[in-house]
Amino acid sequence: MLGLPEEEIRTDVPFYELGADSLSMTQIISRIQKAYPFPLNVRQLYEAQTIAELADSIEWSVLDLLEQEEERSEA
C-alpha cells in the first residue's frame, strides 16, 4: 500500500517517514477494518505514530471488546 518492499518496512519508523499520507492512512484503516471484526477509528491511526504503536492500539481495542463481551455474558 505504501509502495515499499516488505523488507524496508520497520515497525518503529513513523508512518509519514514510510511515505504515508492522509489517503494511504485512510486506506490502511479500511483494510484493517475489513480484516478484523472490531471497531477501529481514524483517531487511533493518527495517534499511533508507528506500526508498533498502531498494533498496541489495536491490541487494547480487542482486549476492551473482549472484556465488554465477557461482562455482557456474565449479566
Side-chain angles (χ1 to χ4, degrees):
M1 181 178 321
L2 297 175
L4 294 173
E6 188 174 325
E7 62 273 2
E8 289 185 26
I9 297 176
R10 293 185 36 212
T11 61
D12 61 338
V13 175
F15 284 108
Y16 292 103
E17 286 183 29
L18 294 172
D21 57 20
S22 58
L23 177 59
S24 59
M25 298 293 268
T26 302
Q27 291 171 336
I28 290 169
I29 289 175
S30 178
R31 286 189 180 186
I32 292 170
Q33 288 174 331
K34 287 178 184 176
Y36 300 99
F38 64 88
L40 176 70
N41 60 51
V42 176
R43 182 180 53 80
Q44 284 175 280
L45 184 61
Y46 282 99
E47 286 178 354
Q49 297 295 310
T50 65
I51 294 171
E53 289 177 15
L54 180 58
D56 287 342
S57 178
I58 290 170
E59 182 177 8
W60 282 109
S61 293
V62 170
L63 291 173
D64 186 48
L65 183 62
L66 291 172
E67 184 177 292
Q68 290 173 19
E69 286 185 20
E70 185 177 310
E71 289 173 359
R72 279 189 285 242
S73 68
E74 291 175 355

